[in-house]
Amino acid sequence: KMATTVDPKYVSAYFALGQLQLISLKKFDRAQASLRKVLDLDPNYEEGKARDLLANAFLKQGAAYHRQKNYKSAAAQYISATQIDPSSARTFYNLGLAYKQGREYSKAINALSTATDLNASYDKAYRALGDIYKATRKNSKAISAYSKAVQANPKDVRAYRNLAQVYSSNKQYAKTAATLKKAIAVKPGDSKLHTDLGFAYHSQKNYKKAIASYKKAIANGGKSESHYRLSVSYFEAKNY
């Protein structure tokens, strides 16, 4: 740090200090100050690498606040990062999550939508959008978002599960079952998926398939819910 006190215009010293604070010391607020000084003295230093590092410092500090559940401060850091690098889908995704967890849903939707505009294959951003729409009972938008999530990542079991729940709440049980079967193809040992599939079949009065699904759930460790629903399907099927 001596070089910066001896000569304030010694840009390379501020740059090296900023790197040290960011990467090794993980003092993100101090790194921000050092890297801002670099940009004040020479905005094009090292072909703009200081800007990239400063954006990363904001992102890292935002993540630290995020882990502390200080969503307002996290969002402020992420916003600063987007102002430096408005092309980062990851930063807008993180911003959307901070708003989502802070229950600022309109802002979350805007940030997450920007993330998907920047990266049309951003499955996690689509799923997060689906979660917000599901929580706010905007089922048609939730279905659209979850559908894009599984299209981008056909192995996203959480998105399949949540999509199935929305279909079920709409009483679209055939689509519920079809969605759950895709999830089970990815994670065949998930007892909850088999239980949910059994309920979808039961709701269509297809008790034979419901019973088979509940038995698979139990075979994979399903507990009281699976046993209870199996007994109900047996009763409805008049299999006493």
Short mmCIF file of all heavy atoms in Angstrom, two decimals, residues 175-239:
data_model
loop_
_atom_site.label_atom_id
_atom_site.label_comp_id
_atom_site.label_asym_id
_atom_site.label_seq_id
_atom_site.Cartn_x
_atom_site.Cartn_y
_atom_site.Cartn_z
N LYS A 175 -51.81 -33.41 -18.03
CA LYS A 175 -50.54 -32.70 -18.19
C LYS A 175 -49.68 -32.84 -16.94
O LYS A 175 -48.44 -32.91 -17.03
CB LYS A 175 -50.80 -31.23 -18.51
CG LYS A 175 -51.35 -31.00 -19.91
CD LYS A 175 -51.48 -29.52 -20.24
CE LYS A 175 -51.94 -29.33 -21.68
NZ LYS A 175 -52.04 -27.89 -22.03
N THR A 176 -50.34 -32.89 -15.79
CA THR A 176 -49.60 -33.13 -14.54
C THR A 176 -48.85 -34.45 -14.63
O THR A 176 -47.65 -34.52 -14.33
CB THR A 176 -50.57 -33.17 -13.34
OG1 THR A 176 -51.30 -31.95 -13.27
CG2 THR A 176 -49.80 -33.36 -12.04
N ALA A 177 -49.56 -35.49 -15.03
CA ALA A 177 -48.96 -36.82 -15.10
C ALA A 177 -47.83 -36.87 -16.13
O ALA A 177 -46.76 -37.42 -15.87
CB ALA A 177 -50.03 -37.86 -15.45
N ALA A 178 -48.05 -36.25 -17.28
CA ALA A 178 -47.03 -36.26 -18.32
C ALA A 178 -45.76 -35.56 -17.86
O ALA A 178 -44.64 -36.01 -18.14
CB ALA A 178 -47.58 -35.59 -19.58
N THR A 179 -45.94 -34.46 -17.13
CA THR A 179 -44.79 -33.71 -16.63
C THR A 179 -44.03 -34.50 -15.57
O THR A 179 -42.80 -34.56 -15.56
CB THR A 179 -45.26 -32.36 -16.05
OG1 THR A 179 -45.94 -31.62 -17.07
CG2 THR A 179 -44.08 -31.54 -15.54
N LEU A 180 -44.77 -35.14 -14.66
CA LEU A 180 -44.14 -35.93 -13.61
C LEU A 180 -43.39 -37.13 -14.17
O LEU A 180 -42.33 -37.52 -13.64
CB LEU A 180 -45.18 -36.37 -12.59
CG LEU A 180 -45.72 -35.25 -11.70
CD1 LEU A 180 -46.97 -35.71 -10.95
CD2 LEU A 180 -44.65 -34.78 -10.71
N LYS A 181 -43.90 -37.72 -15.22
CA LYS A 181 -43.21 -38.85 -15.84
C LYS A 181 -41.85 -38.42 -16.40
O LYS A 181 -40.87 -39.18 -16.33
CB LYS A 181 -44.09 -39.46 -16.94
CG LYS A 181 -45.26 -40.27 -16.39
CD LYS A 181 -46.28 -40.62 -17.45
CE LYS A 181 -45.76 -41.65 -18.42
NZ LYS A 181 -46.81 -42.06 -19.39
N LYS A 182 -41.78 -37.19 -16.91
CA LYS A 182 -40.50 -36.68 -17.40
C LYS A 182 -39.53 -36.48 -16.24
O LYS A 182 -38.33 -36.75 -16.36
CB LYS A 182 -40.71 -35.37 -18.16
CG LYS A 182 -41.44 -35.54 -19.49
CD LYS A 182 -41.67 -34.20 -20.16
CE LYS A 182 -42.43 -34.37 -21.47
NZ LYS A 182 -42.72 -33.06 -22.12
N ALA A 183 -40.07 -35.99 -15.12
CA ALA A 183 -39.22 -35.80 -13.94
C ALA A 183 -38.71 -37.14 -13.42
O ALA A 183 -37.53 -37.27 -13.04
CB ALA A 183 -39.99 -35.07 -12.85
N ILE A 184 -39.58 -38.15 -13.40
CA ILE A 184 -39.21 -39.47 -12.91
C ILE A 184 -38.15 -40.12 -13.82
O ILE A 184 -37.27 -40.84 -13.34
CB ILE A 184 -40.46 -40.36 -12.78
CG1 ILE A 184 -41.31 -39.87 -11.60
CG2 ILE A 184 -40.09 -41.83 -12.60
CD1 ILE A 184 -42.69 -40.48 -11.53
N ALA A 185 -38.22 -39.82 -15.10
CA ALA A 185 -37.21 -40.35 -16.02
C ALA A 185 -35.82 -39.82 -15.66
O ALA A 185 -34.81 -40.50 -15.86
CB ALA A 185 -37.56 -39.96 -17.46
N VAL A 186 -35.78 -38.61 -15.08
CA VAL A 186 -34.51 -38.03 -14.66
C VAL A 186 -34.11 -38.53 -13.28
O VAL A 186 -32.94 -38.82 -13.02
CB VAL A 186 -34.60 -36.48 -14.64
CG1 VAL A 186 -33.29 -35.86 -14.14
CG2 VAL A 186 -34.95 -35.93 -16.02
N LYS A 187 -35.11 -38.68 -12.40
CA LYS A 187 -34.83 -39.06 -11.01
C LYS A 187 -35.79 -40.17 -10.58
O LYS A 187 -36.74 -39.94 -9.83
CB LYS A 187 -34.98 -37.83 -10.10
CG LYS A 187 -34.37 -38.00 -8.73
CD LYS A 187 -34.45 -36.68 -7.95
CE LYS A 187 -33.80 -36.82 -6.58
NZ LYS A 187 -33.90 -35.54 -5.81
N PRO A 188 -35.56 -41.39 -11.04
CA PRO A 188 -36.51 -42.49 -10.83
C PRO A 188 -36.67 -42.92 -9.37
O PRO A 188 -37.66 -43.56 -9.03
CB PRO A 188 -35.95 -43.63 -11.69
CG PRO A 188 -34.50 -43.30 -11.86
CD PRO A 188 -34.42 -41.81 -11.89
N GLY A 189 -35.73 -42.58 -8.52
CA GLY A 189 -35.81 -43.02 -7.13
C GLY A 189 -36.47 -42.02 -6.20
O GLY A 189 -36.43 -42.20 -4.97
N ASP A 190 -37.09 -40.98 -6.73
CA ASP A 190 -37.72 -39.95 -5.92
C ASP A 190 -39.14 -40.38 -5.54
O ASP A 190 -40.05 -40.36 -6.38
CB ASP A 190 -37.75 -38.63 -6.69
CG ASP A 190 -38.17 -37.45 -5.83
OD1 ASP A 190 -39.12 -37.61 -5.03
OD2 ASP A 190 -37.58 -36.37 -5.97
N SER A 191 -39.34 -40.77 -4.30
CA SER A 191 -40.64 -41.28 -3.87
C SER A 191 -41.74 -40.23 -3.98
O SER A 191 -42.89 -40.55 -4.28
CB SER A 191 -40.56 -41.80 -2.43
OG SER A 191 -40.25 -40.75 -1.54
N LYS A 192 -41.39 -38.96 -3.74
CA LYS A 192 -42.40 -37.89 -3.79
C LYS A 192 -42.94 -37.73 -5.21
O LYS A 192 -44.14 -37.49 -5.40
CB LYS A 192 -41.80 -36.58 -3.30
CG LYS A 192 -42.82 -35.45 -3.15
CD LYS A 192 -43.83 -35.73 -2.06
CE LYS A 192 -44.69 -34.51 -1.74
NZ LYS A 192 -45.55 -34.07 -2.85
N LEU A 193 -42.08 -37.86 -6.19
CA LEU A 193 -42.53 -37.76 -7.58
C LEU A 193 -43.52 -38.88 -7.90
O LEU A 193 -44.56 -38.65 -8.55
CB LEU A 193 -41.35 -37.83 -8.54
CG LEU A 193 -40.41 -36.61 -8.56
CD1 LEU A 193 -39.20 -36.90 -9.44
CD2 LEU A 193 -41.15 -35.37 -9.06
N HIS A 194 -43.23 -40.09 -7.44
CA HIS A 194 -44.15 -41.22 -7.68
C HIS A 194 -45.47 -41.00 -6.95
O HIS A 194 -46.54 -41.33 -7.48
CB HIS A 194 -43.49 -42.53 -7.23
CG HIS A 194 -42.39 -43.00 -8.12
ND1 HIS A 194 -42.61 -43.48 -9.39
CD2 HIS A 194 -41.05 -43.05 -7.92
CE1 HIS A 194 -41.46 -43.82 -9.94
NE2 HIS A 194 -40.49 -43.57 -9.06
N THR A 195 -45.41 -40.45 -5.73
CA THR A 195 -46.63 -40.16 -4.98
C THR A 195 -47.48 -39.13 -5.71
O THR A 195 -48.70 -39.28 -5.85
CB THR A 195 -46.30 -39.66 -3.57
OG1 THR A 195 -45.57 -40.66 -2.87
CG2 THR A 195 -47.56 -39.34 -2.79
N ASP A 196 -46.82 -38.08 -6.19
CA ASP A 196 -47.55 -37.03 -6.93
C ASP A 196 -48.15 -37.58 -8.22
O ASP A 196 -49.27 -37.21 -8.61
CB ASP A 196 -46.61 -35.87 -7.24
CG ASP A 196 -46.21 -35.09 -5.99
OD1 ASP A 196 -46.84 -35.28 -4.94
OD2 ASP A 196 -45.25 -34.29 -6.08
N LEU A 197 -47.40 -38.47 -8.88
CA LEU A 197 -47.93 -39.08 -10.10
C LEU A 197 -49.15 -39.94 -9.77
O LEU A 197 -50.15 -39.92 -10.51
CB LEU A 197 -46.85 -39.93 -10.78
CG LEU A 197 -47.25 -40.65 -12.07
CD1 LEU A 197 -47.75 -39.66 -13.12
CD2 LEU A 197 -46.08 -41.46 -12.61
N GLY A 198 -49.08 -40.66 -8.66
CA GLY A 198 -50.22 -41.45 -8.24
C GLY A 198 -51.45 -40.59 -8.02
O GLY A 198 -52.56 -40.95 -8.44
N PHE A 199 -51.27 -39.43 -7.42
CA PHE A 199 -52.39 -38.53 -7.18
C PHE A 199 -52.96 -38.00 -8.49
O PHE A 199 -54.18 -37.85 -8.65
CB PHE A 199 -51.98 -37.36 -6.29
CG PHE A 199 -53.10 -36.43 -5.97
CD1 PHE A 199 -54.08 -36.79 -5.06
CD2 PHE A 199 -53.18 -35.19 -6.59
CE1 PHE A 199 -55.14 -35.93 -4.77
CE2 PHE A 199 -54.23 -34.32 -6.31
CZ PHE A 199 -55.22 -34.69 -5.40
N ALA A 200 -52.08 -37.72 -9.47
CA ALA A 200 -52.55 -37.25 -10.78
C ALA A 200 -53.40 -38.32 -11.45
O ALA A 200 -54.45 -38.02 -12.03
CB ALA A 200 -51.36 -36.88 -11.66
N TYR A 201 -52.96 -39.59 -11.36
CA TYR A 201 -53.76 -40.68 -11.94
C TYR A 201 -55.07 -40.86 -11.16
O TYR A 201 -56.13 -41.07 -11.75
CB TYR A 201 -52.96 -41.98 -11.91
CG TYR A 201 -51.89 -42.07 -12.97
CD1 TYR A 201 -50.61 -42.55 -12.65
CD2 TYR A 201 -52.14 -41.72 -14.30
CE1 TYR A 201 -49.62 -42.65 -13.62
CE2 TYR A 201 -51.15 -41.82 -15.26
CZ TYR A 201 -49.89 -42.28 -14.92
OH TYR A 201 -48.93 -42.38 -15.89
N HIS A 202 -54.97 -40.78 -9.84
CA HIS A 202 -56.18 -40.92 -9.01
C HIS A 202 -57.21 -39.85 -9.38
O HIS A 202 -58.42 -40.15 -9.45
CB HIS A 202 -55.81 -40.81 -7.53
CG HIS A 202 -56.96 -41.00 -6.60
ND1 HIS A 202 -57.22 -42.21 -5.99
CD2 HIS A 202 -57.94 -40.15 -6.19
CE1 HIS A 202 -58.31 -42.09 -5.24
NE2 HIS A 202 -58.75 -40.83 -5.35
N SER A 203 -56.73 -38.63 -9.60
CA SER A 203 -57.63 -37.52 -9.93
C SER A 203 -58.31 -37.73 -11.28
O SER A 203 -59.37 -37.15 -11.54
CB SER A 203 -56.86 -36.20 -9.93
OG SER A 203 -56.31 -35.95 -8.66
N GLN A 204 -57.70 -38.56 -12.14
CA GLN A 204 -58.32 -38.91 -13.42
C GLN A 204 -59.15 -40.20 -13.30
O GLN A 204 -59.64 -40.71 -14.30
CB GLN A 204 -57.23 -39.10 -14.48
CG GLN A 204 -56.42 -37.86 -14.79
CD GLN A 204 -55.27 -38.15 -15.74
OE1 GLN A 204 -55.48 -38.27 -16.96
NE2 GLN A 204 -54.07 -38.29 -15.21
N LYS A 205 -59.24 -40.71 -12.07
CA LYS A 205 -59.96 -41.96 -11.76
C LYS A 205 -59.33 -43.16 -12.44
O LYS A 205 -59.99 -44.17 -12.70
CB LYS A 205 -61.44 -41.84 -12.15
CG LYS A 205 -62.16 -40.74 -11.37
CD LYS A 205 -63.65 -40.70 -11.67
CE LYS A 205 -64.33 -39.62 -10.83
NZ LYS A 205 -65.79 -39.56 -11.08
N ASN A 206 -58.04 -43.05 -12.70
CA ASN A 206 -57.28 -44.17 -13.23
C ASN A 206 -56.60 -44.83 -12.02
O ASN A 206 -55.41 -44.65 -11.77
CB ASN A 206 -56.25 -43.69 -14.25
CG ASN A 206 -55.58 -44.83 -14.99
OD1 ASN A 206 -55.54 -45.96 -14.48
ND2 ASN A 206 -55.06 -44.57 -16.18
N TYR A 207 -57.41 -45.60 -11.28
CA TYR A 207 -56.95 -46.11 -9.99
C TYR A 207 -55.86 -47.18 -10.14
O TYR A 207 -54.99 -47.31 -9.28
CB TYR A 207 -58.13 -46.66 -9.20
CG TYR A 207 -59.20 -45.61 -8.98
CD1 TYR A 207 -60.51 -45.83 -9.40
CD2 TYR A 207 -58.89 -44.39 -8.39
CE1 TYR A 207 -61.49 -44.86 -9.22
CE2 TYR A 207 -59.86 -43.41 -8.21
CZ TYR A 207 -61.15 -43.65 -8.63
OH TYR A 207 -62.12 -42.69 -8.46
N LYS A 208 -55.91 -47.92 -11.24
CA LYS A 208 -54.90 -48.95 -11.46
C LYS A 208 -53.50 -48.33 -11.55
O LYS A 208 -52.56 -48.80 -10.89
CB LYS A 208 -55.22 -49.74 -12.73
CG LYS A 208 -54.26 -50.88 -13.00
CD LYS A 208 -54.69 -51.67 -14.25
CE LYS A 208 -53.72 -52.82 -14.52
NZ LYS A 208 -54.13 -53.59 -15.73
N LYS A 209 -53.37 -47.27 -12.35
CA LYS A 209 -52.07 -46.60 -12.47
C LYS A 209 -51.71 -45.86 -11.20
O LYS A 209 -50.54 -45.78 -10.83
CB LYS A 209 -52.09 -45.64 -13.67
CG LYS A 209 -52.04 -46.34 -15.01
CD LYS A 209 -51.84 -45.33 -16.14
CE LYS A 209 -51.68 -46.03 -17.49
NZ LYS A 209 -51.47 -45.06 -18.60
N ALA A 210 -52.73 -45.34 -10.51
CA ALA A 210 -52.47 -44.65 -9.24
C ALA A 210 -51.87 -45.62 -8.23
O ALA A 210 -50.87 -45.32 -7.57
CB ALA A 210 -53.76 -44.05 -8.70
N ILE A 211 -52.46 -46.80 -8.13
CA ILE A 211 -51.97 -47.82 -7.18
C ILE A 211 -50.54 -48.23 -7.53
O ILE A 211 -49.69 -48.33 -6.65
CB ILE A 211 -52.92 -49.04 -7.19
CG1 ILE A 211 -54.25 -48.65 -6.52
CG2 ILE A 211 -52.29 -50.23 -6.50
CD1 ILE A 211 -55.37 -49.66 -6.74
N ALA A 212 -50.29 -48.41 -8.82
CA ALA A 212 -48.94 -48.79 -9.24
C ALA A 212 -47.92 -47.71 -8.87
O ALA A 212 -46.80 -48.01 -8.42
CB ALA A 212 -48.91 -49.05 -10.75
N SER A 213 -48.31 -46.45 -9.04
CA SER A 213 -47.41 -45.35 -8.72
C SER A 213 -47.15 -45.27 -7.22
O SER A 213 -46.01 -45.06 -6.78
CB SER A 213 -47.98 -44.02 -9.22
OG SER A 213 -47.99 -43.98 -10.63
N TYR A 214 -48.19 -45.43 -6.42
CA TYR A 214 -48.02 -45.38 -4.97
C TYR A 214 -47.13 -46.53 -4.48
O TYR A 214 -46.31 -46.36 -3.56
CB TYR A 214 -49.37 -45.42 -4.26
CG TYR A 214 -50.21 -44.18 -4.47
CD1 TYR A 214 -51.58 -44.28 -4.71
CD2 TYR A 214 -49.64 -42.91 -4.42
CE1 TYR A 214 -52.36 -43.15 -4.90
CE2 TYR A 214 -50.42 -41.78 -4.61
CZ TYR A 214 -51.78 -41.90 -4.85
OH TYR A 214 -52.56 -40.78 -5.04
N LYS A 215 -47.26 -47.69 -5.10
CA LYS A 215 -46.41 -48.83 -4.74
C LYS A 215 -44.95 -48.53 -5.05
O LYS A 215 -44.04 -48.89 -4.28
CB LYS A 215 -46.88 -50.09 -5.46
CG LYS A 215 -48.16 -50.69 -4.89
CD LYS A 215 -48.53 -51.98 -5.61
CE LYS A 215 -49.73 -52.65 -4.98
NZ LYS A 215 -50.10 -53.90 -5.69
N LYS A 216 -44.71 -47.86 -6.18
CA LYS A 216 -43.34 -47.47 -6.53
C LYS A 216 -42.81 -46.45 -5.53
O LYS A 216 -41.64 -46.47 -5.16
CB LYS A 216 -43.28 -46.92 -7.95
CG LYS A 216 -43.42 -47.98 -9.03
CD LYS A 216 -43.30 -47.37 -10.42
CE LYS A 216 -43.46 -48.43 -11.50
NZ LYS A 216 -43.38 -47.83 -12.87
N ALA A 217 -43.69 -45.55 -5.11
CA ALA A 217 -43.28 -44.55 -4.12
C ALA A 217 -42.85 -45.24 -2.83
O ALA A 217 -41.80 -44.92 -2.26
CB ALA A 217 -44.43 -43.58 -3.85
N ILE A 218 -43.65 -46.20 -2.37
CA ILE A 218 -43.34 -46.93 -1.14
C ILE A 218 -42.05 -47.73 -1.29
O ILE A 218 -41.22 -47.78 -0.39
CB ILE A 218 -44.53 -47.83 -0.75
CG1 ILE A 218 -45.73 -46.95 -0.36
CG2 ILE A 218 -44.16 -48.78 0.38
CD1 ILE A 218 -47.04 -47.70 -0.26
N ALA A 219 -41.87 -48.33 -2.46
CA ALA A 219 -40.65 -49.11 -2.72
C ALA A 219 -39.41 -48.23 -2.69
O ALA A 219 -38.31 -48.70 -2.41
CB ALA A 219 -40.76 -49.81 -4.07
N ASN A 220 -39.60 -46.93 -2.96
CA ASN A 220 -38.47 -45.99 -2.95
C ASN A 220 -38.43 -45.16 -1.66
O ASN A 220 -37.82 -44.09 -1.64
CB ASN A 220 -38.56 -45.06 -4.16
CG ASN A 220 -38.10 -45.74 -5.44
OD1 ASN A 220 -36.91 -45.91 -5.67
ND2 ASN A 220 -39.05 -46.14 -6.27
N GLY A 221 -39.09 -45.67 -0.63
CA GLY A 221 -38.98 -45.01 0.67
C GLY A 221 -40.11 -44.10 1.05
O GLY A 221 -40.02 -43.38 2.05
N GLY A 222 -41.20 -44.10 0.27
CA GLY A 222 -42.34 -43.26 0.58
C GLY A 222 -42.95 -43.63 1.93
O GLY A 222 -43.07 -44.82 2.25
N LYS A 223 -43.34 -42.64 2.70
CA LYS A 223 -43.82 -42.87 4.05
C LYS A 223 -45.35 -42.77 4.13
O LYS A 223 -46.05 -43.29 3.28
CB LYS A 223 -43.16 -41.89 5.02
CG LYS A 223 -41.64 -41.95 5.00
CD LYS A 223 -41.10 -43.31 5.44
CE LYS A 223 -39.58 -43.33 5.49
NZ LYS A 223 -39.02 -44.63 5.85
N SER A 224 -45.84 -42.09 5.15
CA SER A 224 -47.26 -42.11 5.49
C SER A 224 -48.16 -41.61 4.36
O SER A 224 -49.22 -42.19 4.11
CB SER A 224 -47.51 -41.28 6.75
OG SER A 224 -47.03 -39.96 6.59
N GLU A 225 -47.75 -40.54 3.67
CA GLU A 225 -48.60 -40.00 2.61
C GLU A 225 -48.83 -41.04 1.52
O GLU A 225 -49.95 -41.23 1.04
CB GLU A 225 -48.01 -38.74 2.01
CG GLU A 225 -48.89 -38.12 0.93
CD GLU A 225 -48.28 -36.92 0.23
OE1 GLU A 225 -47.12 -36.56 0.55
OE2 GLU A 225 -48.94 -36.36 -0.66
N SER A 226 -47.76 -41.72 1.12
CA SER A 226 -47.87 -42.72 0.06
C SER A 226 -48.78 -43.87 0.48
O SER A 226 -49.63 -44.32 -0.29
CB SER A 226 -46.48 -43.27 -0.29
OG SER A 226 -45.61 -42.23 -0.68
N HIS A 227 -48.63 -44.33 1.73
CA HIS A 227 -49.47 -45.42 2.24
C HIS A 227 -50.93 -44.99 2.32
O HIS A 227 -51.83 -45.75 1.94
CB HIS A 227 -48.96 -45.86 3.62
CG HIS A 227 -47.70 -46.65 3.58
ND1 HIS A 227 -47.68 -48.00 3.31
CD2 HIS A 227 -46.40 -46.28 3.75
CE1 HIS A 227 -46.43 -48.44 3.34
NE2 HIS A 227 -45.64 -47.41 3.61
N TYR A 228 -51.16 -43.77 2.78
CA TYR A 228 -52.54 -43.27 2.91
C TYR A 228 -53.19 -43.17 1.54
O TYR A 228 -54.32 -43.65 1.34
CB TYR A 228 -52.54 -41.91 3.59
CG TYR A 228 -53.88 -41.22 3.52
CD1 TYR A 228 -54.96 -41.65 4.28
CD2 TYR A 228 -54.07 -40.15 2.64
CE1 TYR A 228 -56.21 -41.04 4.18
CE2 TYR A 228 -55.30 -39.52 2.54
CZ TYR A 228 -56.36 -39.97 3.32
OH TYR A 228 -57.59 -39.35 3.20
N ARG A 229 -52.49 -42.56 0.60
CA ARG A 229 -53.08 -42.39 -0.73
C ARG A 229 -53.29 -43.73 -1.43
O ARG A 229 -54.25 -43.90 -2.19
CB ARG A 229 -52.21 -41.45 -1.58
CG ARG A 229 -52.20 -40.02 -1.05
CD ARG A 229 -51.65 -39.04 -2.07
NE ARG A 229 -51.65 -37.68 -1.57
CZ ARG A 229 -52.72 -36.89 -1.53
NH1 ARG A 229 -53.89 -37.33 -1.96
NH2 ARG A 229 -52.62 -35.66 -1.06
N LEU A 230 -52.40 -44.68 -1.18
CA LEU A 230 -52.59 -46.02 -1.73
C LEU A 230 -53.88 -46.63 -1.21
O LEU A 230 -54.67 -47.21 -1.98
CB LEU A 230 -51.40 -46.91 -1.38
CG LEU A 230 -51.49 -48.38 -1.80
CD1 LEU A 230 -51.62 -48.51 -3.32
CD2 LEU A 230 -50.26 -49.15 -1.29
N SER A 231 -54.13 -46.48 0.07
CA SER A 231 -55.36 -47.05 0.65
C SER A 231 -56.60 -46.38 0.07
O SER A 231 -57.62 -47.06 -0.17
CB SER A 231 -55.34 -46.90 2.17
OG SER A 231 -55.41 -45.55 2.56
N VAL A 232 -56.52 -45.09 -0.19
CA VAL A 232 -57.66 -44.37 -0.78
C VAL A 232 -57.94 -44.87 -2.19
O VAL A 232 -59.09 -45.08 -2.58
CB VAL A 232 -57.41 -42.84 -0.78
CG1 VAL A 232 -58.51 -42.12 -1.56
CG2 VAL A 232 -57.34 -42.31 0.65
N SER A 233 -56.88 -45.07 -2.96
CA SER A 233 -57.06 -45.57 -4.33
C SER A 233 -57.62 -46.99 -4.33
O SER A 233 -58.48 -47.34 -5.15
CB SER A 233 -55.74 -45.52 -5.11
OG SER A 233 -55.39 -44.18 -5.43
N TYR A 234 -57.15 -47.82 -3.41
CA TYR A 234 -57.72 -49.17 -3.27
C TYR A 234 -59.22 -49.07 -2.96
O TYR A 234 -60.03 -49.80 -3.53
CB TYR A 234 -57.02 -49.94 -2.14
CG TYR A 234 -55.78 -50.69 -2.57
CD1 TYR A 234 -54.59 -50.62 -1.83
CD2 TYR A 234 -55.81 -51.52 -3.70
CE1 TYR A 234 -53.47 -51.33 -2.21
CE2 TYR A 234 -54.68 -52.24 -4.07
CZ TYR A 234 -53.51 -52.13 -3.34
OH TYR A 234 -52.40 -52.85 -3.72
N PHE A 235 -59.58 -48.19 -2.08
CA PHE A 235 -60.99 -48.03 -1.68
C PHE A 235 -61.83 -47.58 -2.88
O PHE A 235 -62.90 -48.13 -3.15
CB PHE A 235 -61.12 -47.03 -0.54
CG PHE A 235 -62.53 -46.81 -0.09
CD1 PHE A 235 -63.12 -47.70 0.80
CD2 PHE A 235 -63.25 -45.72 -0.54
CE1 PHE A 235 -64.43 -47.51 1.21
CE2 PHE A 235 -64.57 -45.53 -0.14
CZ PHE A 235 -65.16 -46.42 0.75
N GLU A 236 -61.35 -46.55 -3.61
CA GLU A 236 -62.08 -46.02 -4.76
C GLU A 236 -62.20 -47.08 -5.87
O GLU A 236 -63.19 -47.11 -6.60
CB GLU A 236 -61.42 -44.77 -5.30
CG GLU A 236 -61.46 -43.58 -4.36
CD GLU A 236 -62.87 -43.04 -4.16
OE1 GLU A 236 -63.75 -43.35 -4.98
OE2 GLU A 236 -63.08 -42.30 -3.19
N ALA A 237 -61.19 -47.95 -5.95
CA ALA A 237 -61.21 -49.01 -6.95
C ALA A 237 -62.05 -50.20 -6.48
O ALA A 237 -62.16 -51.20 -7.21
CB ALA A 237 -59.79 -49.45 -7.28
N LYS A 238 -62.57 -50.09 -5.25
CA LYS A 238 -63.38 -51.15 -4.63
C LYS A 238 -62.56 -52.43 -4.48
O LYS A 238 -63.07 -53.53 -4.60
CB LYS A 238 -64.65 -51.40 -5.41
CG LYS A 238 -65.56 -50.18 -5.45
CD LYS A 238 -66.85 -50.43 -6.20
CE LYS A 238 -67.72 -49.18 -6.19
NZ LYS A 238 -68.99 -49.37 -6.93
N ASN A 239 -61.27 -52.20 -4.24
CA ASN A 239 -60.36 -53.33 -4.00
C ASN A 239 -60.12 -53.37 -2.49
O ASN A 239 -59.15 -52.87 -1.98
CB ASN A 239 -59.04 -53.06 -4.76
CG ASN A 239 -58.12 -54.27 -4.74
OD1 ASN A 239 -58.33 -55.19 -3.95
ND2 ASN A 239 -57.09 -54.23 -5.59
#
